[in-house]
Amino acid sequence: MTPAVRVPEELSARVPVEQRGPGLDRDAVRMLVSRGAGVAHHTFTELPRLLRAGDLLVVNTSATLAAAVGGWIGHARVVVHFSTSGDDGRWAVELREPDGRGTTRARAGGPAGSEVCLPGGVRLVLEEPLGGRSGRLWWARVSGPGVPGLLREHGRPIRYSYTERDQPLSVYQTVFALPSADGAGSAEMPSAARPFTARLVAELVSLGVGFAPVTLHTGVASAEAHEPPYPERFAVPPASARLINAAKAGAGRVLAVGTTAVRAVESAAGADGVVRARAGWTSLVVTPERGVRVVDGLLTGLHEPEASHLLMLEAIAGRAATERGYEAAVQGRYLWHEFGDVHLVLPGQGRDRPLTQSIAQATASETEPRPM
């Protein structure tokens, strides 16, 4: 059960922090720090003094796509949010309606066979709902040279109504983002890593903090429908698996930067807690009942109280600490969403390894990976 916290609308971050005043950079956001029963208030620039030599930050290198494209169904305007590319060439998409303010609102999906006219003469045809979901997301087939080119030429970043104005795609890229050769990427920014700057990364490296890159291409957010995460592509390369296992074997702590990094690394971990290089699709949902095998802590954004991300936070920190942290964030007027402040969850005193729950219950059906 997630925290019963009401987030006031005015706490939505409407623009990136660097646009809120002169001389500000991405790392000027605030950072709530939870450690066991304690909560403390910091700025993100203080991260180096909260970590120690030997700690390892697991970061997601997925680049953000310009995943929103305007189109028409008959004479009705729609906006297509391209979410996830399938192995068969189809894309999971969400159709939304323009709201007249530059953003969009939810729209019923389907029906099968619906055709969307996109720029450049491209046609998108809805084929079937994504799994047994609510019908919000559909598998669709696109005519023409391919979706990556369509997004590069006609796409824009996905934007929700709490933001103030359109932003260039560069605002939605993290310092760790790497372009994919096949044009794959994330429909929405892996936003926990957004406050990192090249300067701060260099400072952390100089102090002996390591970085382990992984990839998870995240789809569109599901907060509106309160749905669990659906399958996403991930990859944990051999070098990162070795770094993670070495940190776990030593005195370092494995700290995931974002829930996407948690999902990727936990999907590559065996029941013995050893991380092995893997790539493929993961349907893993990290819950308090499932627990975690690898991560000791988490740097994350502030999510809506109903979001499934908070189940993952509870799995790492415990429910009491999660509720305490969110209550402190609201009372302290922290800012929410992708341009907002961040929450660092560190192990409590005397607990430098995660409390693993029900590992024996985890099965191979959680992932469908292939060895790398």
Side-chain angles (χ1 to χ4, degrees):
M1 185 173 179
T2 50
V5 175
R6 189 184 71 84
V7 181
E9 185 179 349
E10 64 267 21
L11 294 187
S12 295
R14 302 193 181 282
V15 295
V17 63
E18 62 271 22
Q19 297 177 14
R20 296 177 204 153
L24 297 179
D25 205 342
R26 290 182 173 211
D27 56 12
V29 296
R30 300 169 68 197
M31 181 169 64
L32 182 74
V33 179
S34 296
R35 191 195 301 263
V39 175
H41 303 279
H42 294 268
T43 61
F44 191 73
T45 54
E46 296 176 277
L47 181 65
R49 70 181 183 86
L50 295 170
L51 303 184
R52 62 195 188 205
D55 283 345
L56 185 69
L57 295 175
V58 182
V59 298
N60 186 1
T61 63
S62 180
T64 308
L65 302 174
V69 180
W72 298 263
I73 296 181
H75 296 292
R77 290 187 59 208
V78 295
V79 176
V80 181
H81 286 181
F82 286 86
S83 180
T84 305
S85 60
D87 292 333
D88 59 359
R90 297 187 299 175
W91 278 75
V93 301
E94 178 187 15
L95 266 58
R96 295 176 67 89
E97 294 179 349
D99 62 3
R101 301 190 302 270
T103 53
T104 60
R105 55 177 170 257
R107 175 191 183 280
S114 296
E115 183 176 280
V116 183
C117 299
L118 298 173
V122 175
R123 295 288 188 270
L124 178 148
V125 178
L126 301 181
E127 293 191 348
E128 59 181 338
L130 180 63
R133 307 286 165 163
S134 65
R136 185 176 63 93
L137 292 166
W138 282 68
W139 284 115
R141 200 168 295 278
V142 180
S143 68
V147 172
L150 173 72
L151 300 186
R152 282 193 300 270
E153 188 170 352
H154 301 288
R156 61 184 183 277
I158 289 176
R159 176 190 159 208
Y160 292 110
S161 59
Y162 52 78
T163 57
E164 184 176 294
R165 56 180 176 269
D166 287 343
Q167 300 284 349
L169 184 60
S170 59
V171 166
Y172 292 88
Q173 302 293 6
T174 74
V175 72
F176 305 111
L178 295 173
S180 175
D182 62 359
S186 289
E188 298 185 22
M189 172 177 53
S191 56
R194 190 182 190 279
F196 283 91
T197 61
R199 179 184 63 250
L200 187 63
V201 170
E203 183 179 355
L204 288 166
V205 170
S206 72
L207 295 174
V209 175
F211 290 84
V214 299
T215 301
L216 187 137
H217 297 313
T218 185
V220 296
S222 59
E224 291 175 350
H226 312 310
E227 298 165 347
Y230 47 83
E232 294 169 317
R233 289 188 182 191
F234 82 103
V236 175
S240 293
R242 289 193 294 269
L243 287 169
I244 294 166
N245 293 328
K248 285 173 59 63
R253 299 168 296 183
V254 177
L255 307 173
V257 177
T259 56
T260 61
V262 176
R263 196 182 199 196
V265 74
E266 291 290 329
S267 296
D272 55 2
V274 175
V275 176
R276 296 170 177 86
R278 301 183 104 170
W281 290 86
T282 177
S283 57
L284 174 66
V285 180
V286 177
T287 64
E289 292 72 30
R290 189 266 184 192
V292 288
R293 303 172 181 175
V294 179
V295 299
D296 302 307
L298 170 67
L299 176 73
T300 182
L302 294 166
H303 300 285
E304 292 293 346
E306 298 86 355
S308 61
H309 300 73
L310 292 195
L311 293 175
M312 182 184 291
L313 192 57
E314 288 183 27
I316 297 169
R319 184 180 177 191
T322 301
E323 290 183 340
R324 196 159 37 244
Y326 267 66
E327 289 169 359
V330 171
Q331 292 171 4
R333 310 292 292 174
Y334 280 72
L335 296 181
W336 254 250
H337 301 303
E338 66 267 30
F339 297 143
D341 298 315
V342 291
H343 184 192
L344 176 64
V345 178
L346 293 173
Q349 296 297 326
R351 182 171 167 250
D352 279 353
R353 285 284 164 254
L355 177 62
T356 304
Q357 303 177 33
S358 305
I359 283 182
Q361 298 175 7
T363 67
S365 64
E366 294 172 339
T367 59
E368 300 174 9
R370 61 177 184 271
M372 292 183 69

